[in-house]
Amino acid sequence: MAAAVGLRSFYKATGRLLCVHHIRLYSNFRSLKAKYNCGLDKPSWRYRNPHRLFRTTIVSHGQIVQFKLSDIGEGITEVTVKEWYVKEGDVVSQFDSICEVQSDKASVTITSRYDGVIRKLHYNLDEIAHVGKPLVDIETAALKDVAPEEDVVETPAVSHEEQTHQEIKGHKTLATPAVRRLAMENNIKLSEVVGTGKDNRILKEDILNYLAKQTGAILPLSPKPEIVAPPPTPKPAADKPKMPRIPLPISKPVVISQKDKTVAVSGFQKVMVKTMSAALKIPHFGYCDEIDLTQLVRLREELKPVALERGIKLTFMPFFLKAASLALLHYPILNASLDENCQNITYKASHNIGVAMDTGQGLVVPNVKNVQACSVYEVASELNRLQSLGSANQLGTSDLTGGTFTLSNIGTIGGTYAKPVILPPEVAIGALGKIQGLPRFNAKGEIFKAQIMNVSWSADHRIIDGATMSRFSNLWKSYLENPAFMLLDLK
């Protein structure tokens, strides 16, 4: 990190100020020995073990820099300030968190681009901040070049421009501030690291792998799943009578207000207003059915211990998503979009299946990318990640955009049937009810206990007819009622 060294010398015997010198250094020093001579001549520096040299800079009086809110993409022009991580007078460094803002699509943490002192916060909590307008004022050092003979030894390091705006043949290197800081601390140029994330994004593991290759050391990476034998199936215990589930009251105390209150529509509510208004233009076709999940319930119980050994919580949703993806391969019209003029249909190659989540900030619909290329385990792992981020209100824009098909598991809260509303530009959505043990007849006419789940579909009736929706639902249903059937179509 940048370090500032101030040297000041006063010669009181003659009543004259002989020299005031401030030097700002941009990397770690190695074996530096300075000898500063006060006088009217320029100071001289002595060093040993010389390496690459760079020019020092003289800092005059601090200057105020207005740190403006940058464009965070997706056409977002304004955000709501949800939390400040700094206050006026705090000292910040590059990549330190400044605040958390929430757009109508995601929550984003804004980090500092400067070293300095916070002098002014331009917004209070829950106020609207606009892209391109000042967010905070930071007092930094004003820099001026000095004579070339004033050289200081440095070890090779990554400059600020390389860290923040590294480009390879005109392509900006993608990395989070935490990854950039890790690279900076280890004197690694991001341009030399091959990213393995989406769009060649550099991940923490990429930096650690690069270090391991350079040093030959074995560095701790994020744990990779290991295939282990499932533990022995425990003997079934005697069935205990289950107590009926009683809805719990809201944890917050109920406050009875005496006056009406008007609040602005913001955050995720704002995008819901916009999306649902657009959805009113779509003629919805509804289709409902019930699914016998008895075999799937039994299979999940067998696989849950194996998934836990791999660090993954296995729910029913990964099976629902994978079965939907397999069915979409046969009925791609449900994974398409219709343009605003209703002239062209775009068939999406990727199955980015959204999952509606109820969070503290409202309904959000992150999506699992490329389900058609993922295993059930990989889908479960991604769902675990999205659910963790959703609970912490930390879902990113990439998690919330790009969806092509949606499933809403309303059954986790309650209810059997629903009337889901399509999320434009998608053309289909499904709502899943709760799983219930209900009496059903088998092929021999005998009554047995079945695990039944209801599903409600909505489709854009402009391009999807009832027969197509019904056939898709039947195929999806067959995969879930006979999980072994999925093996035939898995890639």
Side-chain angles (χ1 to χ4, degrees):
M1 292 182 61
V5 180
L7 299 176
R8 175 170 296 178
S9 177
F10 293 91
Y11 192 83
K12 297 184 178 180
T14 60
R16 292 180 298 166
L17 175 63
L18 294 183
C19 56
V20 177
H21 197 67
H22 289 261
I23 297 177
R24 185 172 181 82
L25 306 181
Y26 285 89
S27 67
N28 299 325
F29 292 106
R30 180 181 296 174
S31 302
L32 175 65
K33 180 179 181 182
K35 182 176 181 181
Y36 194 84
N37 300 323
C38 281
L40 295 177
D41 295 332
K42 293 182 179 179
S44 61
W45 290 83
R46 297 179 183 175
Y47 54 87
R48 60 191 177 194
N49 298 333
H51 296 272
R52 182 163 59 91
L53 303 180
F54 73 101
R55 181 174 297 179
T56 62
T57 54
I58 293 179
V59 178
S60 62
H61 299 290
Q63 66 175 4
I64 301 297
V65 175
Q66 288 191 330
F67 178 36
K68 297 180 180 180
L69 179 62
S70 301
D71 184 5
I72 55 181
E74 299 294 332
I76 296 170
T77 59
E78 62 181 30
V79 295
T80 303
V81 178
K82 302 304 294 183
E83 183 176 0
W84 284 108
Y85 298 121
V86 296
K87 61 182 181 298
E88 293 180 1
D90 283 356
V91 177
V92 294
S93 301
Q94 295 178 42
F95 310 117
D96 284 353
S97 296
I98 296 292
C99 65
E100 180 180 334
V101 299
Q102 180 184 317
S103 69
D104 56 1
K105 296 182 180 179
S107 295
V108 180
T109 299
I110 305 298
T111 57
S112 176
R113 290 163 46 197
Y114 307 100
D115 298 334
V117 180
I118 301 295
R119 291 306 181 197
K120 181 179 180 181
L121 306 180
H122 283 267
Y123 301 97
N124 296 320
L125 292 180
D126 295 324
E127 287 188 346
I128 302 298
H130 297 274
V131 171
K133 300 295 183 181
L135 191 62
V136 295
D137 289 352
I138 302 178
E139 182 179 349
T140 63
L143 304 179
K144 296 181 181 179
D145 290 338
V146 298
E149 59 266 27
E150 295 187 22
D151 292 323
V152 178
V153 184
E154 71 149 347
T155 56
V158 182
S159 68
H160 171 67
E161 287 77 10
E162 288 173 331
Q163 297 161 16
T164 311
H165 304 289
Q166 286 196 35
E167 298 186 1
I168 305 176
K169 296 181 180 180
H171 178 72
K172 183 179 290 186
T173 302
L174 300 178
T176 63
V179 172
R180 294 183 185 276
R181 174 172 289 182
L182 179 62
M184 178 184 65
E185 291 173 349
N186 291 278
N187 290 337
I188 297 175
K189 291 185 178 181
L190 292 180
S191 58
E192 299 176 354
V193 181
V194 178
T196 60
K198 182 182 178 183
D199 298 328
N200 297 321
R201 181 181 294 275
I202 296 176
L203 308 177
K204 177 182 177 182
E205 287 79 4
D206 299 327
I207 299 295
L208 295 176
N209 286 333
Y210 181 86
L211 277 174
K213 292 178 181 178
Q214 296 296 316
T215 62
I218 300 177
L219 299 172
L221 299 175
S222 56
K224 294 185 177 180
E226 295 182 359
I227 304 223
V228 295
T233 305
K235 295 181 179 180
D239 292 338
K240 295 181 180 180
K242 293 185 178 180
M243 299 297 293
R245 179 183 294 180
I246 301 175
L248 297 177
I250 300 174
S251 57
K252 295 182 180 179
V254 178
V255 178
I256 300 177
S257 177
Q258 302 297 326
K259 296 182 179 180
D260 296 342
K261 181 173 68 173
T262 301
V263 296
V265 177
S266 62
F268 294 132
Q269 274 189 331
K270 196 169 186 177
V271 71
M272 185 184 295
V273 169
K274 181 179 178 181
T275 304
M276 293 300 100
S277 297
L280 285 176
K281 303 176 183 178
I282 301 175
H284 284 52
F285 168 79
Y287 180 84
C288 300
D289 201 355
E290 72 172 32
I291 319 294
D292 183 357
L293 298 180
T294 303
Q295 291 189 41
L296 182 61
V297 170
R298 189 179 303 119
L299 174 64
R300 173 177 170 265
E301 287 300 318
E302 294 176 0
L303 296 178
K304 275 176 63 177
V306 180
L308 285 176
E309 288 289 336
R310 301 186 185 186
I312 296 298
K313 179 182 178 182
L314 183 63
T315 64
F316 290 103
M317 282 304 292
F319 298 98
F320 298 156
L321 266 66
K322 190 60 185 179
S325 177
L326 292 174
L328 288 174
L329 292 173
H330 295 271
Y331 299 96
I333 187 66
L334 275 75
N335 195 59
S337 64
L338 181 66
D339 66 4
E340 293 183 0
N341 298 324
C342 299
Q343 299 297 316
N344 299 289
I345 299 174
T346 301
Y347 291 83
K348 303 298 180 68
S350 298
H351 296 172
N352 299 338
I353 302 182
V355 180
M357 292 183 181
D358 181 35
T359 70
Q361 293 182 327
L363 177 69
V364 295
V365 189
N367 58 82
V368 179
K369 301 288 194 296
N370 298 308
V371 177
Q372 80 283 358
C374 296
S375 66
V376 172
Y377 170 73
E378 290 169 335
V379 174
S381 177
E382 179 66 3
L383 279 174
N384 281 196
R385 184 187 73 86
L386 293 175
Q387 288 165 347
S388 298
L389 292 177
S391 300
N393 295 321
Q394 293 180 349
L395 288 167
T397 303
S398 61
D399 297 322
L400 296 167
T401 56
T404 61
F405 185 87
T406 297
L407 290 178
S408 176
N409 191 9
I410 193 66
T412 57
I413 300 176
T416 53
Y417 290 101
K419 188 179 180 181
V421 180
I422 298 170
L423 302 175
E426 298 174 20
V427 295
I429 185 174
L432 311 176
K434 63 182 179 181
I435 301 175
Q436 311 175 80
L438 298 174
R440 290 294 184 268
F441 290 96
N442 60 19
K444 298 179 180 181
E446 301 169 338
I447 294 179
F448 71 101
K449 179 181 179 181
Q451 299 296 326
I452 301 298
M453 180 188 74
N454 302 112
V455 60
S456 306
W457 300 104
S458 290
D460 188 338
H461 212 1
R462 295 174 296 182
I463 60 173
I464 300 174
D465 55 49
T468 301
M469 186 74 255
S470 177
R471 292 189 182 101
F472 167 84
S473 181
N474 289 339
L475 182 56
W476 180 75
K477 174 180 178 178
S478 69
Y479 286 135
L480 297 178
E481 291 189 339
N482 304 278
F485 287 3
M486 284 195 284
L487 295 176
L488 298 177
D489 291 331
L490 287 176
K491 301 295 183 182

